[in-house]
Amino acid sequence: MESMLCQAKCLADQITGWRRDLHRIPELDLDLPQTAAYVCARLEELGIPYRISEAHFGIVALIEGRSGPGRTVALRADMDALPIAEKAEIPFASQNGRMHACAHDAHAAMLLGAAELLMRNRACFSGSVKLIFQPGEECSGGAQRMIDEGALENPRVDAVFGQHAGVMATELPGGHFGFYPGAFMASRDSFTIMVRGRGCHGSAPAQGVDPVAVSAYLITALQTLVSREINGTDQAVLTIGSIHGGEVYNIIPDEVVLEGAVRCLNEGIRIQLEKRIREMCEGIARTMRASCEIVYERGYPVTMNDPELTAFAEQSARRLLGEERVDRLEKPLMGSEDMSVFLQHCPGCYWVFSTPPREGETYANHNPRFAIDDSELYLGSALMAQTALDWLARWE
């Protein structure tokens, strides 16, 4: 039988075409009617049964092997875009003020490619492969919504795999796949701090309570939570990304609003930072005669790769692609990922596929000039399909 890599290479132009079609129609969050319709049309062409959620456009498809019943493995890709006006100079750039600036178009295309490869090889495996096309990765927790609707049931998923394209690990050369066991990507929490003082004229600050001054102290002090309260061998990031207060240069306002994010690779540190942010903000505000209200929202958990399945997927990659294209990453990533929720419910592995453009400057994910080399996406399709087949073969 022709190797999976050779089969995938024959689909290279088709997978690239699918990615570019999806790139032209970016949609946001849980509202993906065009994107979902495109994916469903391709599934129908391949003869793959699926169901689509009326609530959020998530799609679950199922490929059953012809060699009999067995275990079930899931392959997952996200589909939503970002509210960014595209500035990449490519002929298929989006024109609707939204953009696939995090390679979700490539993820969906690669999963469609894997679907075609698996359909061609149905006679070779027992069990089932679930294809999960997820909405709402960027902000709305689409993974949990799909799980709540039964994406991991009927049949029950025993292992789940996925991948992220783009420039996720800067040390990873283009065309290489990177693996990391254990805590691979950080949790993501957000918070809002409303600092309340008492407004007055800027010429008479003693007549009021200056929330701007209080906020300045808070911003500086909060940074010490990581630099002075977290061990140097642990990793966490605390960012204040938004500050709003006041309208006129010579009037002290009543209120300043700060917004920020916390990323951790350890649940204990995550709990500690939430507690200390509250204590520090309330204490400093009280000391400076102000008050504050803190709204802390827990977001995605740590993306936890199962060590055994990570080693398994890495070995599948080495056999399929060769040693030269597969790397064990030296450190985890501080970005966050909704795949973490699937991995909380089911063991699996999430890896990265480096796809920087071959020419011109490389821009990071979420940049309006973000671009990828989509000529080798077939490699990602081949790896997803081969990993699924290898995993199912373990149980035959």
Side-chain angles (χ1 to χ4, degrees):
M1 183 177 64
E2 189 177 27
S3 73
M4 185 65 71
L5 195 58
C6 290
Q7 292 181 61
K9 193 167 185 178
C10 292
L11 300 178
D13 291 343
Q14 178 175 280
I15 296 167
T16 297
W18 288 338
R19 179 258 164 169
R20 295 184 180 190
D21 288 344
L22 289 167
H23 193 87
R24 291 185 177 96
I25 54 168
E27 296 173 297
L28 304 180
D29 205 11
L30 304 172
D31 189 21
L32 312 178
Q34 283 184 282
T35 303
Y38 185 91
V39 170
C40 290
R42 304 292 81 75
L43 293 172
E44 289 170 9
E45 290 169 0
L46 294 170
I48 301 174
Y50 65 87
R51 66 177 187 271
I52 181 170
S53 171
E54 295 180 359
H56 51 63
F57 295 99
I59 301 163
V60 179
L62 186 67
I63 301 173
E64 295 179 305
R66 288 179 174 160
S67 295
R71 300 289 184 111
T72 300
V73 61
L75 303 175
R76 171 267 191 188
D78 39 21
M79 304 186 291
D80 56 320
L82 288 156
I84 296 173
E86 183 160 11
K87 296 181 180 179
E89 296 180 357
I90 53 177
F92 50 92
S94 67
Q95 304 295 325
N96 63 4
R98 300 174 290 236
M99 180 186 176
H100 274 294
C102 202
H104 295 189
D105 50 348
H107 301 167
M110 286 189 288
L111 185 51
L112 285 171
E116 180 158 349
L117 292 168
L118 289 164
M119 286 297 286
R120 291 184 178 190
N121 290 275
R122 286 180 72 188
C124 302
F125 68 91
S126 303
S128 303
V129 182
K130 249 183 198 181
L131 312 173
I132 299 175
F133 294 88
Q134 182 203 315
E137 191 282 326
E138 292 293 352
C139 57
S140 290
Q144 189 61 57
R145 293 169 190 263
M146 294 193 75
I147 291 168
D148 290 343
E149 290 189 358
L152 297 179
E153 305 297 335
N154 302 316
R156 171 67 187 171
V157 172
D158 299 297
V160 60
F161 298 98
Q163 62 187 340
H164 203 308
V167 188
M168 299 295 292
T170 54
E171 72 272 22
L172 197 62
H176 284 224
F177 292 78
F179 293 82
Y180 191 90
F184 177 40
M185 297 180 73
S187 60
R188 184 190 74 194
D189 298 336
S190 62
F191 58 85
T192 301
I193 304 168
M194 289 152 282
V195 181
R196 297 192 174 99
R198 186 170 66 249
C200 61
H201 197 281
S203 65
Q207 295 179 9
V209 176
D210 188 350
V212 176
V214 176
S215 297
Y217 273 94
L218 279 179
I219 292 167
T220 301
L222 285 170
Q223 296 306 312
T224 67
L225 293 181
V226 173
S227 67
R228 290 297 176 267
E229 297 190 19
I230 302 299
N231 288 331
T233 54
D234 294 320
Q235 286 183 272
V237 176
L238 190 157
T239 300
I240 301 293
S242 174
I243 309 169
H244 291 279
E247 300 291 338
V248 184
Y249 73 96
N250 64 344
I251 296 177
I252 292 172
D254 281 324
E255 182 179 272
V256 172
V257 178
L258 311 176
E259 293 180 311
V262 176
R263 298 175 186 270
C264 305
L265 291 164
N266 177 289
E267 185 63 23
I269 292 174
R270 188 184 189 191
I271 293 169
Q272 175 186 344
L273 284 176
E274 178 181 358
K275 176 176 179 287
R276 291 292 292 130
I277 286 169
R278 294 183 185 279
E279 291 174 348
M280 182 170 279
C281 290
E282 291 167 356
I284 290 175
R286 184 169 56 251
T287 299
M288 299 181 72
R289 300 181 299 135
S291 65
C292 74
E293 178 184 349
I294 302 154
V295 177
Y296 196 99
E297 295 186 5
R298 286 198 147 213
Y300 299 152
V302 176
T303 301
M304 190 67 67
N305 279 338
D306 180 89
E308 180 185 352
L309 289 178
T310 301
F312 180 85
E314 184 178 341
Q315 286 305 309
S316 288
R318 293 185 187 280
R319 286 192 299 268
L320 177 73
L321 304 167
E323 295 285 339
E324 66 279 3
R325 279 191 182 266
V326 181
D327 296 274
R328 173 62 66 94
L329 297 178
E330 296 180 357
K331 60 189 178 206
L333 308 178
M334 295 309 293
S336 304
E337 172 54 60
D338 202 14
M339 177 70 173
S340 58
V341 178
F342 285 112
L343 291 170
Q344 278 190 323
H345 290 79
C346 183
C349 175
Y350 194 58
W351 61 79
V352 291
F353 177 18
S354 182
T355 57
R358 293 195 176 191
E359 298 179 354
E361 190 169 351
T362 297
Y363 293 92
N365 293 43
H366 290 216
N367 187 289
R369 289 183 172 84
F370 172 78
I372 67 170
D373 173 16
D374 57 15
S375 67
E376 291 190 325
L377 295 182
Y378 73 91
L379 297 174
S381 296
L383 181 54
M384 293 190 92
Q386 189 65 61
T387 302
L389 293 182
D390 289 346
W391 189 85
L392 290 171
R394 297 176 71 187
W395 307 100
E396 292 181 355

